[in-house]
Short mmCIF file of all heavy atoms in Angstrom, two decimals:
data_model
loop_
_atom_site.label_atom_id
_atom_site.label_comp_id
_atom_site.label_asym_id
_atom_site.label_seq_id
_atom_site.Cartn_x
_atom_site.Cartn_y
_atom_site.Cartn_z
N VAL P 1 0.80 -1.21 0.00
CA VAL P 1 0.00 0.00 0.00
C VAL P 1 0.84 1.27 0.00
O VAL P 1 0.34 2.36 -0.30
CB VAL P 1 -0.98 0.01 1.19
CG1 VAL P 1 -1.95 -1.16 1.11
CG2 VAL P 1 -0.25 0.00 2.52
N HIS P 2 2.12 1.18 0.34
CA HIS P 2 2.97 2.38 0.37
C HIS P 2 3.95 2.44 -0.80
O HIS P 2 4.94 3.18 -0.76
CB HIS P 2 3.73 2.44 1.70
CG HIS P 2 2.86 2.75 2.87
ND1 HIS P 2 2.30 1.77 3.66
CD2 HIS P 2 2.42 3.94 3.38
CE1 HIS P 2 1.56 2.34 4.60
NE2 HIS P 2 1.61 3.64 4.45
N CYS P 3 3.68 1.67 -1.86
CA CYS P 3 4.62 1.63 -2.98
C CYS P 3 4.59 2.90 -3.83
O CYS P 3 5.54 3.17 -4.56
CB CYS P 3 4.38 0.40 -3.84
SG CYS P 3 2.78 0.37 -4.67
N LEU P 4 3.52 3.68 -3.75
CA LEU P 4 3.44 4.90 -4.55
C LEU P 4 4.62 5.82 -4.27
O LEU P 4 5.27 6.33 -5.18
CB LEU P 4 2.12 5.63 -4.27
CG LEU P 4 1.96 7.01 -4.91
CD1 LEU P 4 2.06 6.93 -6.43
CD2 LEU P 4 0.63 7.65 -4.50
N LYS P 5 4.91 6.04 -3.00
CA LYS P 5 5.99 6.94 -2.61
C LYS P 5 7.33 6.23 -2.46
O LYS P 5 8.37 6.79 -2.81
CB LYS P 5 5.63 7.64 -1.30
CG LYS P 5 6.63 8.71 -0.85
CD LYS P 5 6.13 9.46 0.37
CE LYS P 5 7.07 10.58 0.78
NZ LYS P 5 6.55 11.34 1.95
N TYR P 6 7.30 4.99 -1.98
CA TYR P 6 8.55 4.33 -1.60
C TYR P 6 8.98 3.21 -2.53
O TYR P 6 10.04 2.63 -2.35
CB TYR P 6 8.44 3.82 -0.16
CG TYR P 6 8.29 4.96 0.82
CD1 TYR P 6 7.08 5.18 1.47
CD2 TYR P 6 9.34 5.84 1.06
CE1 TYR P 6 6.93 6.23 2.36
CE2 TYR P 6 9.20 6.89 1.94
CZ TYR P 6 7.99 7.08 2.59
OH TYR P 6 7.85 8.14 3.46
N GLY P 7 8.16 2.91 -3.53
CA GLY P 7 8.58 1.96 -4.55
C GLY P 7 8.32 0.50 -4.20
O GLY P 7 7.81 0.15 -3.13
N LEU P 8 8.67 -0.36 -5.16
CA LEU P 8 8.51 -1.80 -5.04
C LEU P 8 9.77 -2.41 -4.44
O LEU P 8 10.72 -1.70 -4.07
CB LEU P 8 8.23 -2.39 -6.42
CG LEU P 8 7.04 -1.79 -7.19
CD1 LEU P 8 7.06 -2.27 -8.64
CD2 LEU P 8 5.73 -2.16 -6.53
N THR P 9 9.81 -3.72 -4.36
CA THR P 9 10.98 -4.40 -3.80
C THR P 9 12.26 -4.00 -4.53
O THR P 9 13.29 -3.77 -3.89
CB THR P 9 10.79 -5.93 -3.89
OG1 THR P 9 9.64 -6.30 -3.12
CG2 THR P 9 12.01 -6.65 -3.34
N THR P 10 12.19 -3.90 -5.85
CA THR P 10 13.40 -3.57 -6.63
C THR P 10 14.02 -2.24 -6.22
O THR P 10 15.23 -2.05 -6.38
CB THR P 10 13.08 -3.57 -8.15
OG1 THR P 10 14.29 -3.45 -8.88
CG2 THR P 10 12.15 -2.43 -8.53
N HIS P 11 13.21 -1.32 -5.69
CA HIS P 11 13.73 -0.01 -5.27
C HIS P 11 14.25 -0.03 -3.83
O HIS P 11 14.78 0.97 -3.36
CB HIS P 11 12.62 1.04 -5.38
CG HIS P 11 12.00 1.12 -6.72
ND1 HIS P 11 10.69 0.73 -6.97
CD2 HIS P 11 12.50 1.51 -7.93
CE1 HIS P 11 10.42 0.89 -8.25
NE2 HIS P 11 11.49 1.36 -8.85
N ASN P 12 14.10 -1.17 -3.16
CA ASN P 12 14.41 -1.22 -1.73
C ASN P 12 15.37 -2.34 -1.36
O ASN P 12 15.47 -2.70 -0.18
CB ASN P 12 13.11 -1.37 -0.93
CG ASN P 12 12.27 -0.10 -0.94
OD1 ASN P 12 12.50 0.82 -0.17
ND2 ASN P 12 11.31 -0.04 -1.85
N ILE P 13 16.08 -2.89 -2.34
CA ILE P 13 17.12 -3.87 -2.06
C ILE P 13 18.44 -3.38 -2.63
O ILE P 13 18.48 -2.65 -3.62
CB ILE P 13 16.77 -5.26 -2.62
CG1 ILE P 13 16.50 -5.21 -4.13
CG2 ILE P 13 15.57 -5.84 -1.88
CD1 ILE P 13 16.26 -6.58 -4.75
N LEU P 14 19.53 -3.76 -1.97
CA LEU P 14 20.87 -3.34 -2.37
C LEU P 14 21.69 -4.48 -2.96
O LEU P 14 22.50 -4.28 -3.85
CB LEU P 14 21.62 -2.75 -1.17
CG LEU P 14 21.09 -1.42 -0.62
CD1 LEU P 14 21.74 -1.14 0.73
CD2 LEU P 14 21.40 -0.29 -1.60
N ARG P 15 21.50 -5.66 -2.37
CA ARG P 15 22.34 -6.79 -2.79
C ARG P 15 21.57 -8.10 -2.62
O ARG P 15 20.78 -8.25 -1.69
CB ARG P 15 23.62 -6.83 -1.96
CG ARG P 15 24.66 -7.83 -2.44
CD ARG P 15 25.88 -7.86 -1.53
NE ARG P 15 25.61 -8.57 -0.28
CZ ARG P 15 26.49 -8.70 0.72
NH1 ARG P 15 27.69 -8.15 0.61
NH2 ARG P 15 26.16 -9.35 1.82
N VAL P 16 21.82 -9.02 -3.54
CA VAL P 16 21.24 -10.35 -3.46
C VAL P 16 22.34 -11.38 -3.67
O VAL P 16 23.17 -11.22 -4.57
CB VAL P 16 20.14 -10.55 -4.53
CG1 VAL P 16 19.83 -12.02 -4.72
CG2 VAL P 16 18.87 -9.79 -4.16
N LYS P 17 22.36 -12.40 -2.82
CA LYS P 17 23.21 -13.56 -3.07
C LYS P 17 22.30 -14.68 -3.53
O LYS P 17 21.27 -14.94 -2.91
CB LYS P 17 23.97 -13.97 -1.82
CG LYS P 17 25.09 -13.01 -1.43
CD LYS P 17 25.90 -13.55 -0.27
CE LYS P 17 27.04 -12.60 0.09
NZ LYS P 17 27.84 -13.13 1.23
N MET P 18 22.69 -15.32 -4.62
CA MET P 18 21.84 -16.39 -5.15
C MET P 18 22.69 -17.54 -5.65
O MET P 18 23.88 -17.39 -5.96
CB MET P 18 20.96 -15.86 -6.28
CG MET P 18 21.71 -15.58 -7.56
SD MET P 18 20.60 -15.28 -8.94
CE MET P 18 21.73 -15.50 -10.34
N LEU P 19 22.07 -18.71 -5.71
CA LEU P 19 22.70 -19.89 -6.27
C LEU P 19 22.14 -20.14 -7.66
O LEU P 19 20.92 -20.13 -7.86
CB LEU P 19 22.43 -21.11 -5.39
CG LEU P 19 23.16 -21.16 -4.05
CD1 LEU P 19 22.62 -22.29 -3.19
CD2 LEU P 19 24.66 -21.32 -4.25
N THR P 20 23.02 -20.34 -8.62
CA THR P 20 22.57 -20.76 -9.94
C THR P 20 22.21 -22.25 -9.89
O THR P 20 22.49 -22.93 -8.91
CB THR P 20 23.66 -20.53 -11.00
OG1 THR P 20 24.81 -21.31 -10.64
CG2 THR P 20 24.05 -19.05 -11.05
N MET P 21 21.61 -22.76 -10.95
CA MET P 21 21.17 -24.15 -10.96
C MET P 21 22.34 -25.12 -10.86
O MET P 21 22.17 -26.24 -10.38
CB MET P 21 20.34 -24.42 -12.22
CG MET P 21 19.66 -25.77 -12.24
SD MET P 21 18.52 -26.04 -10.86
CE MET P 21 18.66 -27.82 -10.64
N ASP P 22 23.52 -24.70 -11.26
CA ASP P 22 24.67 -25.61 -11.13
C ASP P 22 25.41 -25.42 -9.82
O ASP P 22 26.51 -25.96 -9.62
CB ASP P 22 25.62 -25.47 -12.32
CG ASP P 22 26.16 -24.06 -12.49
OD1 ASP P 22 25.86 -23.20 -11.63
OD2 ASP P 22 26.87 -23.81 -13.48
N GLY P 23 24.82 -24.63 -8.90
CA GLY P 23 25.37 -24.51 -7.55
C GLY P 23 26.36 -23.39 -7.33
O GLY P 23 26.95 -23.29 -6.25
N GLU P 24 26.56 -22.52 -8.31
CA GLU P 24 27.50 -21.41 -8.13
C GLU P 24 26.84 -20.32 -7.29
O GLU P 24 25.71 -19.92 -7.54
CB GLU P 24 27.90 -20.83 -9.48
CG GLU P 24 28.90 -19.68 -9.37
CD GLU P 24 29.25 -19.07 -10.71
OE1 GLU P 24 28.71 -19.53 -11.74
OE2 GLU P 24 30.05 -18.10 -10.73
N LEU P 25 27.56 -19.84 -6.28
CA LEU P 25 27.08 -18.75 -5.45
C LEU P 25 27.48 -17.42 -6.08
O LEU P 25 28.66 -17.14 -6.28
CB LEU P 25 27.65 -18.85 -4.03
CG LEU P 25 27.17 -17.80 -3.03
CD1 LEU P 25 25.67 -17.90 -2.80
CD2 LEU P 25 27.92 -17.93 -1.71
N VAL P 26 26.48 -16.61 -6.42
CA VAL P 26 26.70 -15.35 -7.14
C VAL P 26 26.20 -14.19 -6.28
O VAL P 26 25.12 -14.25 -5.70
CB VAL P 26 25.94 -15.36 -8.49
CG1 VAL P 26 26.13 -14.03 -9.22
CG2 VAL P 26 26.41 -16.52 -9.35
N THR P 27 27.01 -13.13 -6.20
CA THR P 27 26.60 -11.91 -5.50
C THR P 27 26.28 -10.84 -6.52
O THR P 27 27.10 -10.53 -7.39
CB THR P 27 27.71 -11.41 -4.56
OG1 THR P 27 27.99 -12.42 -3.58
CG2 THR P 27 27.28 -10.14 -3.84
N ILE P 28 25.07 -10.29 -6.42
CA ILE P 28 24.62 -9.26 -7.35
C ILE P 28 24.31 -8.00 -6.55
O ILE P 28 23.57 -8.03 -5.58
CB ILE P 28 23.37 -9.73 -8.11
CG1 ILE P 28 23.71 -10.96 -8.96
CG2 ILE P 28 22.80 -8.61 -8.99
CD1 ILE P 28 22.51 -11.58 -9.63
N GLY P 29 24.87 -6.85 -6.98
CA GLY P 29 24.69 -5.62 -6.24
C GLY P 29 25.75 -5.46 -5.17
O GLY P 29 26.71 -6.23 -5.09
#
């Protein structure tokens, strides 16, 4: 309900760590 002023998730995250399907740990942001 407050996304009008403060944005969606994409506007409120700085970094994501994720695993690819082959198991590689990748840091984005």
